[in-house]
Amino acid sequence: MPQYIQHNAGPGAFKISASGVSTRICIDADDWKGVTRAANDLSDDIGKVTGKASALVTGTKPLAGAILVGTIGKSKIIDGLIASGKIDVSAVKGKWESFVIQTVGSNLVIAGSDKRGTIFGIYDVSEKIGVSPWYWWADAPVQKSSTLYVKAGRYVQSSPKVKYRGIFINDESPSFSGWARTKFGGINSKAYVHMFELLLRLKANYLWPAMWGNAFNEDDPMSPALADEYGIVMGTSHHEPMMRAQKEYTNRKNEIGAWDYVTNAENLKKFWTEGLERNKNFDNLITMGMRGDGDVAMGKGDDSENIKTLKNVVSDQRDIIKKVYGKEPSEVPQLWAIFTEVQRYYDAGLNVPDDVTLLFCDNNWGYIRRTGPAKELKRKGGMGMYYHIDMNGGPWNDRWVNTTTVPKLREQFNLAYQTGIDRIWIVNVGDLKPKEMPIDFIMRYAWDPTAISAAQTSSYLVDWATGIFGSKNAVEIADIVSKYSKYNLMRKAEVQDPRIFSFVNYHEADRVLKKWKDLTAKAEALESKIPSEAKDAYYQLVLYPTKASAGVAEIYLAAGRNNVYAKQGRISANDYAKRARDLFELDKSLSARFNDSIANTKWQKMMSDVHIGYRQWSMPAQNSLPNLIEVTPLATAALGVAVEGSTEAWPGATGKAGLPQFDALDQQQYYIDVFNRGTGTVNFMAKANKPWIKLSANKGSVAKEQRILVNIDWKNAPQGSADGLVEIVQGDVNIPVTIKTLKVAVPVAKTRYYGGFSGEFTIPANKFVKNIPGKEATWKVLPDLGRADACMGIYPVTAASTMPENAPRLEYQVFLATGGQAKVCVGILPTQDINPARGLRIAVGIDDGKPVILDARKGYVDTFNEYTQANLSHSLVLKPLPPLGTDYALVSRRQQRRSEIFDNLRWLDTNLDVKTPGMHTIKIYMIDPEIVLERIAVNPDDRYPSYLGAPSVAH
């Protein structure tokens, strides 16, 4: 829908407000109550923007100069305009949730095809005049204007491409529940009406209500009545059948008996029947089937027995629907959630009647577990998706701030939509706050997934920021929001650990810390430029999630450096322990400001989730620091030496100190750290035994530590391989550090290439030299997806699987210094086993050699099932980490504690035969279209492990 609001009259424009006068809004009193209510909101919104609200007038005939609002077939005003030929509604009449906005003579007409269509039309005007859907939930400021006009014309909004679009309030304690009790006395209709309005302003229509100890229909009977009046379709979560909340059962457990259909079917049928009778006059989407009591697998683990039971459950539930509604079940919207173990039942052949929507699910961390099966494309009930941007459970909690990027959401929901999953999109949003941005994107994207391409995700964010903060700072705000969510996705707070990033290889921890510090500085600097009326929104949506996320990330980086330095005996380890403690206090103050200061304390207790110190998937009792080690200085000054590439320190380490190889192509710079293990000052000398070894310092006086940078004078360095030595001397203590160099002819190439003489190198997926289309598909850049600048995905994602000879391929030029076997690691996003009958494959080859087909399912673990099959056991803990000070290795991506889900990356490894040293072409072929390529690592070096891998350096 184009922007039709303007701030000057223009030819034929309709005046909403000018010169302190706002036009009237005219509505038929017999129209839907929800339409009247929304029209009142429009009146208020015009007042918020201009200072003069519009009067709302009821009647059956048009008023000259008024905004005429109504529903086709429900409003005499609108029907009269249709009959007289003054408006053309042929494009929307009889359609689902569509509307037309048209200037007609002296009037503006908003005509909806149905109740929600009219409401969406009303709120479309509200948003375009400057009232954000997030004006209440995020305190988005209203964009003021003294004049408002509608450009002459006819504006048609066709039906949404996804029929049911909504959110699930879940995992809502302690934050949402604490806030609602404080502000509204509970999770009741007073709280829910704000949620209903938000959904409608976002053109969404569907809600699963909070269910952690809450019963939407019984806690406050006004809640379902108002939901229906507003126009919200209500449902219940994936494990709450027949419009019954789990709490409704637990409140009656003694009366009903066991939640066991084998032994207690009659009582459960009665319970379900009463629930449907209560809600039958409202607009509902009924959840079918059942799981065990408390969102766990039913029965004793025998799938075949559970399948038999579920068949009986669904059959009996359908009979109840027919009895209660007095019509065929096929006329009543229903869904069956293929969640956790139920997916196994579905894969084993269990299915439900054709008119029931199959609700497929993601893996709890945002990667869908199934694309739409071809056999279900003609299903009358269609297919839907239950998706998480918040998770409390396996594989791990992801509850605190937003960790989901728009490019990831777009990639996954596009994959769902293109394969036929378009009937329902329901998103677990936790407490709703602070997941505002991804909620906004998903609801807008659901209306028309074809409207936002992969290349337009950054434009969406700028538009989102503009809608809330205005255009002046929108680009900067969009960049900050994009980056904080991207950095969180690299490693979420709940799965942080001090031993993830390397402190000695590739300056990895320093590079990660710099990203966070630069982003925080940008967010803090921008805060001073934000107008006072927008500062509360800025804190909620931008500054808090950025600064708090950066703080948590740095806590673990500081703790990790403390641990490594303590092992080495550095007294500076204590500085990093203090930094971690200071950041821990900062985290408290940031949350306190959110809860107790902004928006006149409107959000008390909303930011209460524990998010530091996870040891198992479930939320800890309180935030806690990772292990910190205090170093007691020796009584006198004592020399210590550490070198880049090792966590050891000398004297004391068993091996010899040595720096990684220097070569004339990459011309590396490495460091030697000289530090003090005791009190007082260490006076040292540093000397190289070769004149072409250059040191940044030849002596020093160190109270804590000093870094010496080592470079090579390549003009005077000897040809071929050479050895040298740097000695760090204090008194009679002499620490020799070996130096190895390689000076050979530098490769010459006409195009960009990667590689070199010194071990591991990585190639970003989008840095190809050739992109060669296949017969039916091509590789396409997916900007800002993954950890780096972009990933490569297949267009269209529905392309047929193929073999390398017909496949689209990417070519990368590389220099390999030696012949023989080269290990190539293909880094892909952790796409799930979405089509188990087919595979999840990609091929890699070198030069004209035969490509090797890699199947991501080989050694594949369905992380979802691995962590959830055992009923989300609270005893689940992280697998042991390597010993203190050991790096979290790139080469260990297949083992140790690494998780492709936690890492947001899966590695597929193979060995390629390199016939001769020199320039070569690595080729990546599509086999199955859903795989997304993020990067390629070549010759991963076990000696210098890291989480992100060697930085990519192009030559």
Side-chain angles (χ1 to χ4, degrees):
M1 181 71 74
Q3 171 58 279
Y4 45 77
I5 296 295
Q6 57 191 36
H7 300 284
N8 50 64
F14 174 82
K15 183 187 73 174
I16 295 177
S17 186
S19 303
V21 178
S22 295
T23 191
R24 293 174 294 177
I25 300 171
C26 185
I27 189 168
D28 188 333
D30 291 332
D31 210 327
W32 300 101
K33 287 184 179 179
V35 170
T36 301
R37 193 203 57 76
N40 271 298
D41 282 350
L42 177 59
S43 169
D44 292 342
D45 291 345
I46 292 170
K48 291 185 182 89
V49 173
T50 68
K52 181 65 175 178
S54 293
L56 187 67
V57 180
T58 58
T60 59
K61 293 182 179 180
L63 293 176
I67 301 173
L68 309 178
V69 175
T71 309
I72 299 168
K74 189 74 172 173
S75 166
K76 294 181 179 66
I77 298 172
I78 299 301
D79 291 348
L81 292 170
I82 296 170
S84 64
K86 291 183 178 179
I87 60 170
D88 176 9
V89 296
S90 59
V92 301
K93 186 176 180 179
K95 303 292 179 64
W96 176 265
E97 296 180 348
S98 56
F99 60 88
V100 61
I101 295 174
Q102 183 176 347
T103 55
V104 180
S106 66
N107 293 113
L108 176 69
V109 178
I110 304 173
S113 63
D114 54 19
K115 175 168 66 174
R116 279 189 296 273
T118 310
I119 292 169
F120 293 158
I122 292 168
Y123 284 135
D124 196 74
V125 175
S126 286
E127 183 172 14
K128 285 182 169 59
I129 66 174
V131 180
S132 167
W134 296 98
Y135 82 94
W136 196 90
W137 279 98
D139 301 294
V142 170
Q143 296 180 21
K144 305 285 187 179
S145 177
S146 60
T147 58
L148 294 173
Y149 290 86
V150 175
K151 184 179 179 181
R154 179 170 176 266
Y155 308 95
V156 176
Q157 178 65 70
S158 57
S159 298
K161 288 188 164 60
V162 177
K163 188 171 186 179
Y164 295 102
R165 311 162 307 283
I167 64 174
F168 176 22
I169 301 299
N170 194 213
D171 319 325
E172 67 271 10
S173 180
S175 294
F176 185 90
S177 59
W179 166 77
R181 282 194 297 269
T182 300
K183 188 166 185 64
F184 298 109
I187 303 179
N188 52 31
S189 61
K190 295 176 185 177
Y192 274 120
V193 291
H194 293 286
M195 197 177 298
F196 302 155
E197 182 187 332
L198 171 68
L199 289 171
L200 295 171
R201 285 181 181 266
L202 291 171
K203 298 187 178 70
N205 59 10
Y206 185 38
L207 177 66
W208 286 359
M211 47 74 60
W212 268 28
N214 300 290
F216 177 79
N217 295 293
E218 292 187 345
D219 291 345
D220 182 350
M222 284 301 297
S223 292
L226 285 170
D228 192 68
E229 180 180 306
Y230 270 68
I232 298 297
V233 180
M234 291 303 303
T236 48
S237 73
H238 57 89
H239 70 102
E240 296 178 302
M242 304 292 276
M243 301 306 297
R244 281 296 207 178
Q246 184 186 1
K247 184 186 175 186
E248 295 178 32
Y249 166 71
T250 57
N251 285 346
R252 299 169 174 81
K253 193 167 186 176
N254 292 336
E255 171 192 340
I256 296 171
W259 188 262
D260 186 331
Y261 208 71
V262 174
T263 64
N264 195 31
E266 291 307 313
N267 282 340
L268 291 174
K269 284 193 287 186
K270 181 175 181 290
F271 173 66
W272 291 336
T273 300
E274 291 169 352
L276 281 195
E277 287 282 2
R278 175 192 62 203
N279 288 82
K280 68 180 180 181
N281 294 322
F282 301 143
D283 200 354
N284 302 315
L285 211 172
I286 301 170
T287 297
M288 307 292 284
M290 70 182 295
R291 297 191 71 218
D293 185 11
D295 196 13
V296 297
M298 64 188 297
K300 299 178 181 178
D302 187 315
D303 282 7
S304 62
E305 288 300 316
N306 290 343
I307 288 171
K308 283 183 192 177
T309 301
L310 270 176
K311 286 181 178 179
N312 293 333
V313 167
V314 173
S315 176
D316 289 348
Q317 287 173 341
R318 301 267 288 181
D319 288 342
I320 294 170
I321 290 171
K322 184 174 183 179
K323 174 184 174 184
V324 170
Y325 282 86
K327 53 188 175 184
E328 289 301 314
S330 60
E331 299 177 53
V332 180
Q334 304 152 65
L335 67 83
W336 180 49
I338 304 175
F339 186 73
T340 57
E341 76 288 341
V342 182
Q343 183 167 294
R344 296 199 311 273
Y345 307 159
Y346 173 79
D347 290 342
L350 175 63
N351 212 324
V352 293
D354 187 65
D355 57 89
V356 178
T357 303
L358 298 182
L359 191 72
F360 293 97
C361 305
D362 70 339
N363 68 339
N364 286 357
W365 267 42
Y367 286 95
I368 65 175
R369 298 181 74 207
R370 285 290 182 273
T371 48
K375 66 180 181 179
E376 306 290 4
L377 289 175
K378 294 183 180 179
R379 165 176 282 273
K380 181 181 176 183
M383 295 178 284
M385 176 58 59
Y386 171 38
Y387 190 87
H388 292 77
I389 58 174
D390 170 278
M391 183 60 206
N392 186 86
W396 211 257
N397 275 9
D398 173 23
R399 294 182 36 137
W400 181 42
V401 295
N402 178 44
T403 61
T404 309
T405 65
V406 170
K408 175 185 173 182
L409 291 170
R410 193 262 167 201
E411 189 267 330
Q412 285 292 293
F413 277 101
N414 177 64
L415 181 58
Y417 176 75
Q418 297 295 341
T419 58
I421 297 176
D422 62 2
R423 185 62 56 89
I424 302 168
W425 286 3
I426 182 75
V427 184
N428 189 324
V429 302
D431 303 307
L432 195 153
K433 298 182 70 65
K435 307 297 171 70
E436 298 95 339
M437 185 274 288
I439 292 171
D440 188 279
F441 174 78
I442 295 168
M443 295 305 110
R444 294 181 192 274
Y445 189 67
W447 192 281
D448 184 3
T450 66
I452 303 176
S453 69
Q456 293 172 312
T457 54
S458 60
S459 297
Y460 157 77
L461 271 172
V462 173
D463 290 343
W464 172 81
T466 300
I468 295 173
F469 299 101
S471 59
K472 185 177 180 181
N473 300 304
V475 172
E476 281 187 275
I477 289 171
D479 182 63
I480 295 167
V481 171
S482 172
K483 283 187 169 67
Y484 95 70
S485 55
K486 186 182 184 80
Y487 299 166
N488 274 331
L489 191 57
M490 182 167 61
R491 199 72 190 189
K492 304 186 183 192
E494 291 90 339
V495 289
Q496 284 279 9
D497 187 276
R499 284 161 284 191
I500 290 172
F501 298 103
S502 177
F503 296 93
V504 298
N505 295 320
Y506 312 118
H507 301 273
E508 182 174 72
D510 294 331
R511 289 186 288 122
V512 172
L513 180 59
K514 186 176 187 304
K515 285 178 182 289
W516 279 116
K517 281 188 172 294
D518 288 350
L519 190 64
T520 300
K522 183 175 183 178
E524 289 177 327
L526 187 57
E527 184 184 25
S528 64
K529 302 176 184 177
I530 299 296
S532 58
E533 66 271 16
K535 286 190 182 295
D536 288 336
Y538 186 78
Y539 189 76
Q540 294 168 62
L541 299 174
V542 185
L543 185 59
Y544 174 79
T546 300
K547 193 170 181 177
S549 296
V552 172
E554 191 181 349
I555 283 173
Y556 284 93
L557 289 168
R561 197 175 293 276
N562 161 266
N563 289 183
V564 172
Y565 282 11
K567 174 192 171 187
Q568 296 174 341
R570 301 196 200 199
I571 57 175
S572 62
N574 297 340
D575 296 337
Y576 291 98
K578 181 179 185 302
R579 178 61 177 163
R581 294 187 184 103
D582 289 346
L583 289 165
F584 191 73
E585 294 304 313
L586 174 64
D587 182 82
K588 291 180 185 177
S589 67
L590 291 171
S591 295
R593 179 180 170 189
F594 198 116
N595 290 330
D596 302 328
S597 297
I598 62 167
N600 295 318
T601 70
K602 177 180 177 180
W603 301 110
Q604 284 185 52
K605 301 186 179 178
M606 182 58 91
M607 203 52 57
S608 298
D609 275 22
V610 175
H611 51 274
I612 307 173
Y614 273 73
R615 297 291 184 271
Q616 58 185 35
W617 71 259
S618 54
M619 185 185 289
Q622 59 187 13
N623 288 315
S624 62
L625 281 163
N627 184 50
L628 299 171
I629 303 170
E630 290 290 331
V631 173
T632 302
L634 300 176
T636 59
L639 175 70
V641 173
V643 299
E644 185 165 349
S646 174
T647 58
E648 299 298 320
W650 291 264
T654 54
K656 294 180 179 179
L659 290 173
Q661 177 176 278
F662 296 82
D663 69 68
L665 175 60
D666 288 316
Q667 299 192 8
Q668 299 91 341
Q669 174 182 271
Y670 297 119
Y671 66 79
I672 299 170
D673 280 349
V674 181
F675 57 88
N676 190 356
R677 286 171 163 164
T679 55
T681 301
V682 169
N683 297 307
F684 72 91
M685 301 289 292
K687 54 186 179 179
N689 70 344
K690 301 291 173 65
W692 40 266
I693 301 174
K694 301 299 180 182
L695 305 179
S696 63
N698 297 109
K699 62 182 179 179
S701 182
V702 178
K704 285 188 178 178
E705 58 194 22
Q706 180 178 333
R707 176 158 290 183
I708 301 172
L709 301 177
V710 183
N711 288 279
I712 305 300
D713 176 2
W714 289 106
K715 182 178 179 181
N716 295 308
Q719 290 287 59
S721 299
D723 294 334
L725 200 68
V726 172
E727 294 176 290
I728 310 296
V729 181
Q730 181 218 11
D732 58 358
V733 179
N734 187 322
I735 308 297
V737 180
T738 59
I739 306 294
K740 293 184 179 296
T741 64
L742 179 64
K743 183 180 178 182
V744 293
V746 174
V748 177
K750 294 181 180 179
T751 59
R752 175 185 59 231
Y753 70 91
Y754 291 82
F757 295 98
S758 300
E760 174 183 322
F761 63 92
T762 62
I763 311 167
N766 63 321
K767 299 302 182 182
F768 49 83
V769 293
K770 288 185 180 179
N771 183 353
I772 301 169
K775 287 187 175 181
E776 298 181 8
T778 187
W779 288 98
K780 192 170 185 178
V781 176
L782 303 177
D784 206 30
L785 183 61
R787 296 172 176 172
D789 294 336
C791 287
M792 297 300 295
I794 290 296
Y795 178 83
V797 292
T798 52
S801 298
T802 187
M803 287 292 104
E805 55 269 22
N806 297 315
R809 73 176 184 269
L810 299 167
E811 295 187 355
Y812 303 87
Q813 190 167 12
V814 298
F815 172 74
L816 300 173
T818 60
Q821 293 287 301
K823 183 180 284 296
V824 175
C825 307
V826 179
I828 64 173
L829 297 190
T831 303
Q832 298 296 285
D833 190 13
I834 53 176
N835 190 339
R838 183 205 61 198
L840 193 61
R841 300 159 296 174
I842 193 170
V844 58
I846 191 165
D847 300 328
D848 295 324
K850 183 179 180 180
V852 178
I853 296 177
L854 307 174
D855 194 331
R857 300 177 308 167
K858 194 179 237 181
Y860 168 89
V861 174
D862 185 337
T863 309
F864 183 105
N865 272 335
E866 178 187 17
Y867 291 101
T868 58
Q869 233 169 282
N871 299 334
L872 301 177
S873 166
H874 282 264
S875 64
L876 176 68
V877 296
L878 288 172
K879 298 171 186 176
L881 280 164
L884 183 66
T886 303
D887 283 299
Y888 205 13
L890 170 73
V891 293
S892 301
R893 54 187 155 261
R894 303 169 298 284
Q895 326 234 324
Q896 285 187 1
R897 172 181 175 267
R898 295 291 293 273
S899 160
E900 60 192 29
I901 299 301
F902 297 166
D903 296 353
N904 198 45
L905 196 65
R906 178 185 299 149
W907 291 99
L908 308 176
D909 301 352
T910 190
N911 290 313
L912 298 179
D913 186 22
V914 181
K915 294 180 180 178
T916 59
M919 288 294 178
H920 296 274
T921 302
I922 289 178
K923 301 176 180 179
I924 302 292
Y925 304 80
M926 178 207 104
I927 303 297
D928 297 317
E930 302 88 358
I931 283 185
V932 176
L933 178 67
E934 203 226 53
R935 65 179 47 246
I936 304 163
V938 181
N939 293 325
D941 196 332
D942 293 17
R943 296 169 300 166
Y944 306 112
S946 65
Y947 181 72
L948 300 173
S952 298
V953 179
H955 301 289

